Amino acid sequence: AFIKSLLIDRKFAESYFGIGISLMLLNRPIKSIEYFDKAINLNKYYYDAYHLKSFILKTLKKYSQSLESINKILESNLII
């Protein structure tokens, strides 16, 4: 469904986010980060994409990159 929605609108950030979650659940962390980044590029206020990206980076022991993602949330006042 996410891929079909991208055929209609390539700028639908939620579709990229959904694909990222699916890839994360399929244990494909690097690829999922790519899709979270695509969602973030389309919507710089996409808190959930930053959050899951940070979580994955932390599990990959890429702590400084994980912290960068969290800092983007803080800098953008994305915390509700």
Side-chain angles (χ1 to χ4, degrees):
F2 296 119
I3 293 173
K4 284 185 180 182
S5 68
L6 289 174
L7 294 174
I8 296 168
D9 183 359
R10 307 266 315 148
K11 294 186 178 185
F12 192 56
E14 288 79 5
S15 293
Y16 290 106
F17 180 72
I19 294 169
I21 289 174
S22 298
L23 290 166
M24 181 180 73
L25 294 173
L26 291 169
N27 200 27
R28 295 187 59 199
I30 303 300
K31 198 69 173 167
S32 68
I33 289 172
E34 290 176 25
Y35 279 87
F36 291 139
D37 282 339
K38 289 179 182 187
I40 291 166
N41 286 335
L42 292 171
N43 178 359
K44 68 179 181 177
Y45 300 107
Y46 210 143
Y47 167 81
D48 293 328
Y50 283 108
H51 182 257
L52 287 178
K53 177 182 175 181
S54 175
F55 173 77
I56 292 168
L57 288 166
K58 181 181 164 206
T59 61
L60 295 173
K61 298 184 188 284
K62 296 184 177 188
Y63 301 115
S64 62
Q65 291 175 327
S66 176
L67 189 56
E68 283 177 35
S69 189
I70 292 296
N71 284 335
K72 294 273 186 184
I73 295 170
L74 296 172
E75 290 169 5
S76 301
N77 295 315
L78 295 177
I79 296 181
I80 300 171

